[in-house]
Amino acid sequence: MTVAVVLFTSDLRLHDHPPMHAALKAADEVVPLFVLDPGIRTAHFDAPNRRAFLADCLNDLDASLRRRGGRLVVRAGPVAREVRAVAAECGAGEVHMAAGVTAYAQHREERLRKELDESDVALRVHEAVITALAPGAVTPSGSDHFAVFTPYFRRWSQESLRTPLRAPRTVRVPDGVRGEPLPERSDVSGTSPGLPAGGETAGRDRFSQWSRSGLSRYEDRHDDLAGDATSRLSPYLHFGVLSPAELVHRSRERGGPGAEAFVRQVCWRDFHHQVMAARPSASGKDYRTRHDRWRGEDEAAEDIAAWREGRTGYPVVDAAMRQLRHEGWMHNRARLLVASFLTKTLYVDWRIGARHFLDLLVDGDVVNNQLNWQWVAGTGTDTRPHRVLNPSVQAKRFDPDGTYVRRWVPELAGVDGKKVHEPWRLQAEERDALDYPQPVIDLADGLARFKHARGRD
């Protein structure tokens, strides 16, 4: 009997899973393996919301495997060591896994390959598992990656994505491979009250329901803060319980402007992965420096605390930050607003905001989180790096009657209409009755400071 190991990382699914498909073709038996990596905790990436969601994903994956005659083997320890040990225990000749693009993922693959080479075990790394298109599949003339989204999207759209693979009917796992107990959500403390359920089953159900009711309206409604019309699929994509390639295929089958707009968002995710694959240092360093002298934790301590707590005095910013704390998730338009406010209105280092997001976001993804923050801060791939989003203007446009603000800032629930977006303009008696802070900064002052810092005044 030949045996192969499938190492799951950010691809916790059975539908459209190339490593599992290849392993089942190559071997009689397969060991589905997930390693609880202490390096994740050492890197301070082991946030409670993601740890709880991961527990859901692993339990759901194990249940799916058991329905097919298999099981998920969970081990704890350094990845290379544990994979090598499992391969030795079961006599595996191959290990299959999905390719990653972060510096951490690349180093993990290098260490794993070295360990397996010493045991004469082959490592098979599969592309286009956590992205729809492999990061290096399309490149511009004279460069190793696209630095601007629109030309990348044009090329990406012309490529033929692989046909999604069916989930296996049977998975035979050899006896005697030791495993740890699966982690449980109930064992994780400090999670957001509104954290959604994780796992492939929940993710597929969510996409099926949303594609029937929300996909066709996505182009018109995806920026509607109160309407909450986005797919909310980002946590499921982050953990790989949904296949980006399958989402694109299924959306294109439905067709229409809404589907096209949604596919464009999937492409943004691929775009960021090809940037990070080429420039892994962008996870912590400016992709394009503007020679900023950002304010840090000491200089801007009070402003940063107000931003984190949702007490800046700008209702739409505060609503978004409170949604983040309660749900472990935030509307995409709101993410742009709060990031612009922190980096450009308060002139605080983008890394401070990115770290706070990673502490709370269930979809906290180094690739997309860091590069989106850099895009807003003007140090990334944005072709208009000095743009500043005015929170009052944005709120009136994307939350015109203030429903989103009142949902998350109950102190302002009694303020009528658009006045809720600028409570500092209320009559003194009405303003004084509110338990809500004055703005931490005047928008004009923040804009002037930013323009001076960038040499544009």
Side-chain angles (χ1 to χ4, degrees), residues 10-11 13 101 129-133 135 149 152 156 233-245 247 262-276 363 365 367-368 371-372:
S10 299
D11 51 337
R13 64 180 188 268
V101 301
V129 179
I130 62 175
T131 55
L133 199 66
F149 174 72
Y152 175 79
W156 184 92
L233 294 176
S234 53
Y236 303 96
L237 284 165
H238 169 62
F239 284 91
V241 301
L242 291 178
S243 157
L247 293 187
F262 177 69
V263 168
R264 185 180 178 90
Q265 293 303 311
V266 177
C267 181
W268 263 107
R269 187 173 177 275
D270 274 18
F271 171 71
H272 283 153
H273 275 77
Q274 59 97 40
V275 172
M276 188 67 76
D363 62 20
D365 182 303
V367 177
N368 294 292
L371 290 179
N372 275 323

Side-chain angles (χ1 to χ4, degrees), residues 6 43 56-57 215 229 256 273 278 295 329 338 348 390 403:
V6 175
D56 286 352
C57 294
L215 183 60
H273 275 77
R295 297 197 302 154
W329 184 87
V338 302
V348 169
N390 182 306
T403 300

Side-chain angles (χ1 to χ4, degrees), residues 323-334:
Q323 180 184 25
L324 171 62
R325 189 166 295 279
H326 182 82
E327 296 188 349
W329 184 87
M330 188 192 295
H331 191 288
N332 185 59
R333 172 56 55 175

Side-chain angles (χ1 to χ4, degrees), residues 24 47 178 226 296 370:
L24 289 170
R178 177 183 60 82
Q370 308 303 87

